[in-house]
Amino acid sequence: MLLKQNTFIFSVIKSVLLTVKKKRNMRIIYILSFFLIMGFRLSAQEKNMIDPALKTPPEIMNQFMDMRFGMFIHWGPVTLRGTEIGWSRGHEVATEDYDNLYKEFNPVLFDASAWVKTAKNAGMKYLIITSKHHDGFCLWPSEYTDYDIMATPFKKDIVGALAKACKKEGIRFGIYFTILDWHDRNYPLHNDGKGISEDGNMEKFRSTIKNQLKELVTKYDPYLIWFDGGWEEPWTDEMGREIYTYLKSLKKDLIINNRLGKEMTGISNKNADYSKMVGDFDTPEQRIGNINMDFPWESCITMGTQWSWKPNDKLKSLKECLQTLVKTASGNGNLLFNIGPMPDGRIEQRQIDCLVQMGAWLKKYGESIYGTRGGPYLPNEAYSSTRKGNKVFVHLFETDKTEIILPALPGVNVQKATLMNGGEVGFKKTDDFYKISLPAVLPDSICNVLVLQINREAIEIPVIENTSIP
Ligand code: JFZ
């Protein structure tokens, strides 16, 4: 691609010069071309671009977005205290205490295959493990630090075991990796309110994480790397682009999230410039992302109230969990649903129970989630929708209604209206609305799916911005 561009610039200069002064020396043409080409390259860099030829292609991103549902796992020695991973270091747990927890981290009941099967039974298609969180502890044996799983009494490679189990079960394997490390003295910030420290060395730090990333990619061949922590001051978008380019040289189709850089919608739903994102998809956090039919996104949301395990934590109800998944898919996004295993290595039974029930719902209604795209209705309290082929799937959140009114879809003929796992329903079109009559007893007690079969490709329907009913 670059070669083509260069040849083009060269030939333009050549023809300009040849017309202006026919007998000009070829050397001038070459010199001018050289500067112009360099100029073009510099301007691409100034425009903060990753070489477009390196970006993960849309086919790969579409396959990722087809999966819709993944498991996020935050885990480490901090679970022995039950406080939040990374953030509680030097706060709820004294730094000295936190940094020594690894000496007693011995999750003898850890069973990678059991975790992966739990994800699979939940209907999840991929899994992402915190290989290193902000506390700096590494769940894999790293040559570049002593603060890793081999220093614990457990001494078994957790990342490796999960990579293997995922491969066996056909679950895509992803790795979470933080680029801020409050434990590493070379990283100049330490979440202690003291600001940038003098003894930091970003050059050394960047070389360490580059080595660790190479280790992770070559050892575990991840499908995806989920970066975190790029928002802190010592990190720049340029550093992010360098890492992106480096990783793509190691593995061409690796999928990378946007927290390698600073541009993201994040927790607060900031206005973001998608063209500036360093990474392949956006990562709204603890909220369902806004509908976006163009740029891929994945919401990361916890089942409980914190990322790592908390004893007696308040968990979301099954209804909340299912609606979170459905509304995310309706906005055209993926849900990376987080659980935190316990210090002994098991996933808490009540978390498993909820996941099993989500999986049971997906076994019956998965056609309305996997491989679909969001819209055309925007999610609201009563319903939301997804679409695929000539079908619009309307998810109904109210189970006590016998009638539902939807804004009519523009330029569409509805040929048939049915309930998934139920029969045909009453359908009437009046002016700008559809009036749908439902049976008194609905097939599902939490979320039912109305299927509108239409006379055209559902993806062509523009998103209906106003779903309010008069
Ligand atoms: C980050 C982590 O800090 C958190 O522990 C978890 O791993 C989550 C998936 O990602 O969450 C954030 C991200 C951004 C900010 C705070 C927490 N921020 O900008 O203040």
Side-chain angles (χ1 to χ4, degrees), residues 38 81 86 194 248 310 325 366 389 442:
M38 288 318 282
R81 289 288 174 273
K194 292 187 189 152
K248 289 299 212 172
K310 181 178 174 182
L325 172 65
L442 291 163

Side-chain angles (χ1 to χ4, degrees), residues 72 74 87 133-134 176 226 228 231 259 267 285 300 307:
F72 209 0
H74 277 67
W87 296 92
H133 203 266
H134 311 331
Y176 166 107
W226 209 102
D228 201 9
W231 65 80
R259 293 198 183 179
I267 303 177
E285 176 172 330
C300 52
W307 295 97

Side-chain angles (χ1 to χ4, degrees), residues 10 14 17-18 23-32:
F10 176 75
K14 193 172 152 189
L17 281 178
L18 285 180
K23 284 194 176 162
R24 213 51 206 225
N25 195 327
M26 275 301 278
R27 215 189 290 159
I28 295 179
I29 298 174
Y30 281 120
I31 292 168
L32 265 174

Side-chain angles (χ1 to χ4, degrees), residues 30-43:
Y30 281 120
I31 292 168
L32 265 174
S33 308
F34 173 78
F35 283 113
L36 225 103
I37 287 163
M38 288 318 282
F40 259 78
R41 287 202 169 171
L42 283 177
S43 76

Side-chain angles (χ1 to χ4, degrees), residues 193-207:
K194 292 187 189 152
I196 303 261
S197 73
E198 293 288 305
D199 58 351
N201 184 337
M202 268 312 267
E203 281 313 304
K204 268 198 189 157
F205 178 71
R206 282 166 67 198
S207 141

Side-chain angles (χ1 to χ4, degrees), residues 199-237:
D199 58 351
N201 184 337
M202 268 312 267
E203 281 313 304
K204 268 198 189 157
F205 178 71
R206 282 166 67 198
S207 141
T208 305
I209 62 172
K210 212 166 159 178
N211 283 328
Q212 290 195 321
L213 286 165
K214 183 175 183 183
E215 205 170 50
L216 289 167
V217 172
T218 48
K219 271 176 119 160
Y220 310 118
D221 191 29
Y223 169 72
L224 185 154
I225 295 191
W226 209 102
F227 281 102
D228 201 9
W231 65 80
E232 279 203 340
E233 201 187 321
W235 192 259
T236 65
D237 275 3

